[in-house]
Amino acid sequence: MSEPRESLVNRKTLETEVNISFSLDGEGVYFVNTGQPFFDHMLELFCKHSSFNMELTARGDLAVDGHHTVEDVGLCLGLAIKRALGEKHGIKRYGHAIIPMDEALAMVAVDLSGRGFLAFDAPMPAARVGEFETELVQEFFRALAISGEFTLHIRLLAGTNTHHIIEAIFKGLARVLKDATTYVGGGIPSTKGEL
């Protein structure tokens, strides 16, 4: 591995503006500001538990609701991960984790396959955590997996506290992506010769 696995993503629409500086080989250093404190917290712990470095700022039409901002952050973060991976030489490719957060237990698995797909089975007991709309969790992960071009499975195994459930899922995402992006040497991990 000779080239730094880093990327920059900038996206501006009439609804949002998202800017990301991202590094796969970091120390978990982050600055996050989306205008949604709970979402910021989830993205911060994602960086901490993955050891990815990220500076992310997002401005969106939060007066409408958080949907456009959360979805576009997912799109941009997925793209940042994809760009940082490059041709995926020597990566593990797969990762899986079962993460507890008090009474909550989440299973997360990833395949950096080059094919965007989300399977999401994680009912949210509450419609909001603070001001954050919990139905946006699935929207974030869908945008992330599709733009990042990886297969992502998320399943809630147990849980009654919505904050704990979402936190377990984001920590799970951190662990599986840290594992799957680990450089182990060799060529591209596919009989096709590309991912």
Side-chain angles (χ1 to χ4, degrees):
M1 183 174 64
S2 57
E3 297 293 319
R5 300 192 301 169
E6 302 172 345
S7 64
L8 295 172
V9 174
N10 303 288
R11 173 183 165 91
K12 186 172 184 179
T13 72
L14 294 177
E15 297 169 340
T16 67
E17 181 175 356
V18 181
N19 300 287
I20 299 179
S21 172
F22 183 80
S23 175
L24 287 169
D25 304 304
E27 301 82 36
V29 177
Y30 54 81
F31 173 82
V32 178
N33 185 353
T34 68
Q36 299 178 89
F38 179 77
F39 188 42
D40 289 354
H41 179 49
M42 294 301 106
L43 294 169
E44 290 166 355
L45 63 85
F46 164 73
C47 292
K48 186 67 174 179
H49 290 271
S50 65
S51 299
F52 299 156
N53 290 352
M54 181 170 71
E55 183 173 328
L56 185 156
T57 59
R59 290 181 298 180
D61 53 357
L62 297 180
V64 176
D65 65 11
H67 188 283
H68 297 143
T69 303
V70 171
E71 183 177 39
D72 283 5
V73 167
L75 287 169
C76 292
L77 180 55
L79 187 56
I81 293 167
K82 176 186 168 186
R83 288 180 179 172
L85 279 169
E87 293 183 1
K88 305 177 188 173
H89 284 278
I91 62 166
K92 272 187 168 181
R93 177 177 169 173
Y94 298 100
H96 65 275
I98 297 177
I99 301 294
M101 175 68 188
D102 295 345
E103 90 300 341
L105 188 66
M107 183 278 291
V108 183
V110 71
D111 173 10
L112 300 177
S113 61
R115 299 180 301 277
F117 178 80
L118 174 68
F120 188 90
D121 183 9
M124 299 290 156
R128 291 180 177 271
V129 175
E131 295 301 312
F132 183 78
E133 300 166 87
T134 58
E135 69 178 7
L136 298 181
V137 173
Q138 184 171 356
E139 295 303 317
F140 169 78
F141 286 111
R142 179 182 293 112
L144 181 79
I146 298 300
S147 67
E149 296 183 1
F150 53 80
T151 298
L152 181 61
H153 284 255
I154 297 170
R155 179 170 294 177
L156 182 65
L157 304 179
T160 56
N161 181 288
T162 307
H163 185 135
H164 294 166
I165 289 167
I166 298 170
E167 186 162 335
I169 292 170
F170 271 85
K171 287 178 176 175
L173 177 73
R175 298 302 300 178
V176 302
L177 283 175
K178 179 178 184 176
D179 198 22
T181 60
T182 298
Y183 183 78
V184 293
I188 294 171
S190 171
T191 55
K192 293 192 292 287
E194 65 178 48
L195 288 171

